[in-house]
């Protein structure tokens, strides 16, 4: 039961009248439970596209994707996606943002608050529960985004350059933070970046994308001791 299985996955974008664009071809990929996999490669080589397909936000034009034996066809809270600048609702408090997905599931306010408190504890932001997003720094907002994902108990965390908007020092701290959260969560992480240093710092396995569709290579860092 792998966390993610891609078999012969392809994606050709067909954007209205403009020329069809083949972003991915023949991708085979297996991600183990609790594995940390980084997608590395230059801009425009299809990393985000593959992440969106695995999220179920876009449909592959070839091949199939499974997650824990379920065919991926639609988005699911089990596969939470975090973007470069994840939007939080500015009119809601931090804890209300974190628990927003649970209100759709029909949880009571007290239940939601308890789940949000626990998730915010895990990202070290319990003290900021009652604040609004615009009172937080960029790094703190991305930690809230991680807490919001964790509140849904995802099996797979999909992260599309989540720290790209942060300064270098904050990014290094966020990498340490993410590794701590990931170890406790039991989730698999698929993390997109174009920074090789970030890939090496985080990954169990780096999947390198090249500009030619269908060309991906997997690199396993040799016994990198975790800090
Ligand atoms: P990366 O994440 O590696 O920068 P993307 O997956 O964003 O690459 O993009 C891969 C290719 O697919 C690019 O040529 C991009 O322009 C194209 N593409 C991405 N999203 C869309 C879309 N929604 N419609 C049409 N083309 C797209
Ligand atoms: P990334 O920073 O991940 O490479 P982009 O900046 O390429 O992403 O794309 C941002 C958004 O625009 C994504 O939702 C992507 O699907 C969409 N997009 C990218 N390229 C195109 C395109 N050629 N036509 C339409 N939408 C696109």
């Amino acid at each position: 039961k792998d966390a993610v299985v891609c078999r012969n996955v392809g994606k050709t974008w067909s954007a209205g009248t403009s020329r069809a664009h083949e972003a991915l071809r023949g991708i085979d990929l297996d991600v183990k439970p609790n594995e940390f996999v980084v997608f590395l490669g230059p801009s425009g080589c299809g990393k985000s596209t593959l992440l969106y397909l695995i999220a179920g936000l876009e449909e592959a034009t070839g091949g199939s994707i499974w997650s824990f034996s379920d065919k991926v066809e639609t988005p699911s809270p089990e596969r939470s996606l975090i973007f470069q600048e994840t939007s939080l609702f500015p009119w809601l408090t931090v804890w209300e943002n974190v628990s927003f997905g649970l209100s759709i599931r029909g949880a009571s306010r007290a239940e939601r608050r308890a789940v949000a408190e626990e998730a915010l504890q895990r990202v070290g932001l319990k003290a900021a529960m009652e604040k609004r997003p615009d009172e937080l720094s960029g790094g703190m907002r991305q930690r809230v985004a991680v807490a919001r994902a964790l509140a849904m108990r995802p099996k797979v965390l999909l992260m599309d350059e989540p720290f790209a908007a942060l300064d270098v020092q904050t990014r290094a701290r966020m990498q340490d933070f993410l590794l701590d959260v990931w170890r406790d969560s039991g989730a698999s992480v698929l993390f997109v970046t174009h920074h090789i240093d970030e890939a090496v710092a985080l990954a169990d396995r780096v999947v390198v994308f090249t500009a030619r569709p269908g060309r991906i290579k997997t690199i396993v860092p040799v016994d990198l001791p975790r800090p």
Side-chain angles (χ1 to χ4, degrees), residues 57-144:
L57 288 171
E58 294 283 350
E59 213 179 329
T61 47
S64 300
I65 302 175
W66 292 268
S67 181
F68 293 100
S69 310
D70 292 332
K71 189 125 195 242
V72 170
E73 280 158 335
T74 51
S76 154
E78 290 190 353
R79 287 171 273 112
S80 287
L81 191 58
I82 296 174
F83 300 94
Q84 184 168 329
E85 287 178 85
T86 295
S87 48
L88 302 171
F89 296 116
W91 61 88
L92 296 179
T93 63
V94 164
W95 83 261
E96 287 166 337
N97 267 288
V98 168
S99 65
F100 187 78
L102 298 164
S103 51
I104 295 167
R105 287 184 186 174
S108 73
R109 189 174 167 86
E111 284 169 317
R112 282 186 283 128
R113 201 182 152 92
V115 171
E117 192 167 335
E118 203 232 311
L120 285 164
Q121 172 96 48
R122 285 160 76 184
V123 304
L125 279 182
K126 203 177 131 183
M129 267 180 85
E130 305 291 348
K131 290 197 190 299
R132 310 259 165 199
D134 66 3
E135 297 176 78
L136 307 179
S137 67
M140 287 165 95
R141 281 203 294 274
Q142 284 306 71
R143 285 197 283 167
V144 174

Side-chain angles (χ1 to χ4, degrees), residues 10-13 24 53 59-63:
K11 178 68 176 177
T12 298
W13 292 105
L24 297 171
L53 298 181
E59 213 179 329
T61 47

